[in-house]
Amino acid sequence: MATPTFDLADLKRRMQGAVNALKHDLGSLRTGRASPSLLDPIQVDAYGASMAMTQVATISVPEPRLLSVSVWDRGMVGAVEKAIRESDLGLNPMTEGQTIRLRIPEMNEQRRKEMVKVAHKYAEEARVAVRHVRRDGLDLLKKLEKDGAIGQDDEKRQADQVQKATDQHIAEVDQTLAAKEKEIMQV
């Protein structure tokens, strides 16, 4: 078995992956403006399988508060409409042939606060993921030092680098959350 090696670039890449996942999750939160990513979490029961909305339809934004979903297969319109209704996005689909229109309602203060809570939950999940990567890196460094592969000074120096990378990615998570919170609370 090959001995594991410490790779700070790989740890940073994994931390950045957690930040990117947060940005994707926050992109699907409704802010009162229409965005195609709003429908990303919706799965449609199509052809005996669960598929992403983008695999059965084209989503466009003809107006700032309107989404247009053009379903490719006429037989799938009902399934897409049902999936939208059953999602907890609070959208009411209006079907016209193979096109489903979704008017994005104005958000009230209570709904905005709920969205901010969801955004905070997503951010905390991202912070936890970044900390898990940090823990993995620090555990590997301790193991390498214990096995004699690196010295104590190297272990300490690299542990400091891991902590700096962690702090940097946690700060990015916080900045992303603050920007999304501002966007949600904007009337």
Side-chain angles (χ1 to χ4, degrees):
M1 185 171 136
T3 53
T5 58
F6 177 74
D7 185 4
L8 183 63
D10 182 54
L11 290 177
K12 285 182 178 179
R13 181 190 57 74
R14 289 172 52 201
M15 288 179 185
Q16 190 60 45
V19 173
N20 291 342
L22 169 68
K23 289 178 180 176
H24 180 267
D25 289 344
L26 290 179
S28 66
L29 277 184
R30 200 175 94 199
T31 60
R33 283 197 309 267
S35 165
S37 62
L38 187 65
L39 302 179
D40 283 353
I42 297 178
Q43 294 291 314
V44 179
D45 290 325
Y47 312 112
S50 185
M51 302 174 108
M53 179 75 71
T54 54
Q55 293 178 322
V56 295
T58 303
I59 303 165
S60 60
V61 185
E63 298 174 23
R65 302 187 56 79
L66 181 73
L67 283 175
S68 177
V69 180
S70 300
V71 183
W72 300 326
D73 181 358
R74 186 178 299 275
M76 293 306 306
V77 174
V80 171
E81 186 177 357
K82 180 181 178 206
I84 293 170
R85 279 193 203 286
E86 291 177 353
S87 71
D88 59 350
L89 295 175
L91 299 174
N92 188 24
M94 295 174 287
T95 307
E96 301 167 4
Q98 284 182 251
T99 303
I100 299 173
R101 300 198 187 286
L102 301 166
R103 181 122 344 248
I104 308 296
E106 190 70 48
M107 289 174 51
N108 60 20
E109 189 69 21
Q110 179 184 358
R111 185 74 176 140
R112 288 181 196 283
K113 287 179 179 173
E114 287 173 20
M115 286 292 139
V116 168
K117 284 181 185 176
V118 172
H120 278 273
K121 185 183 90 169
Y122 287 158
E124 187 55 35
E125 288 170 3
R127 286 187 203 103
V128 168
V130 168
R131 290 184 195 122
H132 282 311
V133 174
R134 175 188 65 187
R135 186 197 62 217
D136 291 347
L138 294 178
D139 288 350
L140 177 62
L141 284 172
K142 286 178 184 154
K143 181 182 182 330
L144 290 173
E145 190 218 338
K146 183 176 158 237
D147 294 346
I150 61 172
Q152 247 182 349
D153 292 344
D154 283 341
E155 188 266 340
K156 178 72 176 138
R157 185 176 43 76
Q158 290 179 333
D160 288 344
Q161 289 176 337
V162 169
Q163 187 57 49
K164 282 180 187 167
T166 303
D167 294 343
Q168 184 180 6
H169 285 88
I170 295 283
E172 189 176 348
V173 165
D174 293 340
Q175 289 170 349
T176 304
L177 174 64
K180 187 65 176 187
E181 192 171 342
K182 183 180 174 190
E183 183 184 330
I184 290 172
M185 293 311 285
Q186 181 181 344
V187 179

